[in-house]
Amino acid sequence: MTRNEYVIIDPHGMHARPAAALLKLSRQFTSEISISKADKKVQLKSMLNILALALKYNDTITLEINGEDEGLASVALDHFFREEMKKF
């Protein structure tokens, strides 16, 4: 299992556009991916799950990735949170 922490850098938080891009990216992998904030943890399988966390600017989240392609998924998701989130 791979576990990574990130800080939400978009001043608008995790709104619909980045959530949709995150979901699209996560669906490219067979690994199970979960996202958590504080005591809430959801599977990264639906837009509603992501939006239900109500992620705001400067919130710290944890991604857990478990599966055959977790290494590839970890690299791609790391790039998303460090670079792609700047574009929304």
Side-chain angles (χ1 to χ4, degrees), residues 3-6 34-37 60-64:
R3 180 180 291 193
N4 299 314
E5 283 193 356
Y6 300 99
S34 64
I35 185 170
S36 59
K37 173 184 127 179
T60 299
I61 61 165
T62 303
L63 283 183
E64 290 181 6

Side-chain angles (χ1 to χ4, degrees), residues 8-38:
I8 301 299
I9 59 174
D10 189 317
H12 302 291
M14 180 68 75
H15 53 88
R17 283 190 337 200
L22 177 60
L23 185 60
K24 182 178 178 181
L25 177 62
S26 71
R27 288 182 174 167
Q28 296 176 14
F29 305 100
T30 59
S31 293
E32 289 187 21
I33 304 169
S34 64
I35 185 170
S36 59
K37 173 184 127 179

Side-chain angles (χ1 to χ4, degrees), residues 5-10 56-61 81-82 85:
E5 283 193 356
Y6 300 99
V7 174
I8 301 299
I9 59 174
D10 189 317
K56 296 179 175 61
Y57 177 70
N58 273 341
D59 280 351
T60 299
I61 61 165
F81 280 103
R82 296 187 189 282
M85 280 292 291

Side-chain angles (χ1 to χ4, degrees), residues 29-73:
F29 305 100
T30 59
S31 293
E32 289 187 21
I33 304 169
S34 64
I35 185 170
S36 59
K37 173 184 127 179
D39 61 343
K40 291 183 180 180
K41 182 176 179 179
V42 298
Q43 293 298 312
L44 195 54
K45 293 186 179 214
S46 79
M47 181 79 104
L48 290 177
N49 283 356
I50 299 167
L51 296 177
L53 290 175
L55 300 174
K56 296 179 175 61
Y57 177 70
N58 273 341
D59 280 351
T60 299
I61 61 165
T62 303
L63 283 183
E64 290 181 6
I65 309 164
N66 191 18
E68 284 184 21
D69 57 358
E70 69 185 52
L72 293 173

